[in-house]
C-alpha cells in the first residue's frame, strides 16, 4: 500500500519536473525526483545539473544528502 503511494508520488514529481522543463521554467523544487525529471532530455552532463546550484559545495551536499541513508 505505502509502496504504491510512494511510487505514485515519485511519478507525479517526476512528471511535474518534465512539464516545467518543457514549459521552459527553471526548477521550482529541490526534490531529487523532480530535478531528475527536469533534467531528463537535456544531455548537458554534470554542467547541466550543477548550473542550478550556487556552488559546487551546495551541489555535493544535495547529491550526497539524496543518497545518504536516514540517520536514526
Amino acid at each position: 500500500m505505502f509502496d504504491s503511494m510512494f511510487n505514485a508520488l515519485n511519478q507525479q514529481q517526476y512528471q511535474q519536473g518534465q512539464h516545467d522543463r518543457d514549459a521552459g521554467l527553471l526548477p521550482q523544487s529541490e526534490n531529487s525526483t523532480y530535478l531528475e525529471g527536469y533534467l531528463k532530455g537535456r544531455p548537458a552532463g554534470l554542467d547541466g545539473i550543477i548550473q542550478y546550484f550556487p556552488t559546487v559545495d551546495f551541489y555535493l551536499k544535495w547529491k550526497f544528502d539524496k543518497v545518504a541513508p536516514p540517520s536514526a
Side-chain angles (χ1 to χ4, degrees), residues 17-32:
Q18 287 189 323
H19 174 267
D20 287 355
R21 178 203 67 211
D22 295 342
L25 302 173
L26 290 174
Q28 305 293 307
S29 172
E30 293 181 5
N31 178 281
S32 62

Side-chain angles (χ1 to χ4, degrees):
M1 179 174 126
F2 288 110
D3 189 42
S4 64
M5 288 175 30
F6 181 72
N7 287 337
L9 180 60
N10 271 358
Q11 186 63 25
Q12 180 183 7
Q13 292 169 339
Y14 182 87
Q15 293 295 328
Q16 184 64 42
Q18 287 189 323
H19 174 267
D20 287 355
R21 178 203 67 211
D22 295 342
L25 302 173
L26 290 174
Q28 305 293 307
S29 172
E30 293 181 5
N31 178 281
S32 62
T33 304
Y34 172 95
L35 287 174
E36 182 183 346
Y38 182 87
L39 296 170
K40 278 283 196 217
R42 294 195 175 187
L46 181 60
D47 289 341
I49 297 170
I50 210 165
Q51 70 177 327
Y52 298 105
F53 297 89
T55 67
V56 173
D57 290 334
F58 277 93
Y59 167 75
L60 292 174
K61 180 178 182 334
W62 171 80
K63 178 70 174 172
F64 292 113
D65 282 350
K66 78 174 189 171
V67 297
S71 56

